[in-house]
Amino acid sequence: PVACQDCHGTHDIRPKDDFESKVFPLNLPAVCEACHLGRVKTPKGESFIRGYRESAHFKALERSGLTMSANCSNCHGGHAIKAVHDPEAPVARKQIIRTCGTCHVGIERSYLAGAHGKDYVKGIKDVPVCTDCHSEHNILAPEDINSTVYATKVAEVCARCHDNVALSRQYGFLTSRLKTYSETFHGTAARFGETRVANCASCHGFHDIRPALDPQS
């Protein structure tokens, strides 16, 4: 079990806003890693935990000193940390839109206005949420070639659901979207690394994706 001193220290306890505090935003990741990269085993492995240090969030925190950038406690909580599989955990699928939306307010609003967001509100579990497209710890900027939503990778990300036969039968959409896109000029150019060519998001939008019959689409 984790005790107070594991996170706050013993005789060197400082206010959380003190630069030298163990739980100051710039220092917190190392405190959490002290357990989660050794004492505590995760089914996804230590590389999953280390992925945060490659993320856009950590780079903003560590390299730019932006203390408002997401750290462990922003997503998982501080004292009332719940297991990831707990439906009330901030990082559970049921809660993740609100958690990410704490910082990304405009994106949350756009997502909830779109087809995916409306189904999310209805409680449909198959609908994609932030982590399905952007990943979890190793979240990278769209401009980063290693990002899951880098321009040339967007079609493959969308195809995870839209080429899924079981989902297409259940929700009534067409499959083979990646195949037909890949056979076009756009798909061919993307396959050769052209980032300026149209992908799914270029035409359908990013977060506020709407059905073709919606006048706002």
Side-chain angles (χ1 to χ4, degrees):
V2 177
C4 307
Q5 64 266 24
D6 290 318
C7 300
H8 294 278
T10 50
H11 295 107
D12 58 338
I13 297 172
R14 298 171 182 264
K16 63 182 178 62
D17 295 327
D18 187 316
F19 288 173
E20 300 301 320
S21 170
K22 293 180 68 176
V23 293
F24 186 71
L26 298 180
N27 305 325
L28 187 62
V31 172
C32 296
E33 288 173 350
C35 286
H36 289 278
L37 286 179
R39 288 171 56 187
V40 179
K41 300 299 181 183
T42 173
K44 294 185 178 180
E46 291 187 3
S47 61
F48 173 73
I49 302 297
R50 288 196 179 92
Y52 171 73
R53 288 191 171 264
E54 302 300 321
S55 71
H57 290 143
F58 183 76
K59 290 173 183 176
L61 189 70
E62 177 76 2
R63 299 180 187 176
S64 304
L66 297 176
T67 56
M68 70 287 290
S69 183
N71 61 41
C72 314
S73 64
N74 295 129
C75 299
H76 293 279
H79 293 121
I81 298 173
K82 299 180 183 295
V84 174
H85 53 75
D86 186 323
E88 297 307 315
V91 293
R93 291 185 71 83
K94 179 183 174 183
Q95 312 293 343
I96 195 67
I97 300 298
R98 184 189 310 164
T99 298
C100 296
T102 303
C103 293
H104 300 282
V105 180
I107 291 175
E108 178 189 17
R109 184 181 304 159
S110 294
Y111 172 83
L112 293 175
H116 292 149
K118 289 178 179 178
D119 282 346
Y120 168 81
V121 171
K122 293 176 185 176
I124 296 176
K125 296 180 180 180
D126 294 318
V127 72
V129 295
C130 314
T131 50
D132 289 313
C133 301
H134 294 279
S135 75
E136 296 165 301
H137 284 171
N138 190 20
I139 298 171
L140 302 175
E143 299 78 21
D144 189 316
I145 194 171
N146 295 311
S147 171
T148 52
V149 291
Y150 185 67
T152 58
K153 299 177 182 177
V154 168
E156 293 180 8
V157 171
C158 296
R160 293 177 194 164
C161 291
H162 287 277
D163 272 4
N164 185 297
V165 176
L167 290 178
S168 70
R169 289 173 178 169
Q170 184 171 354
Y171 298 107
F173 56 75
L174 298 173
T175 56
S176 300
R177 301 296 86 187
L178 181 60
K179 180 178 183 296
T180 54
Y181 169 78
S182 298
E183 292 172 347
T184 67
F185 166 77
H186 292 146
T188 301
R191 197 162 58 251
F192 280 94
E194 175 55 67
T195 59
R196 294 171 297 174
V197 73
N199 58 44
C200 313
S202 306
C203 301
H204 295 279
F206 294 86
H207 299 108
D208 59 339
I209 299 169
R210 299 170 184 266
L213 296 178
D214 186 328
Q216 293 184 274
S217 170

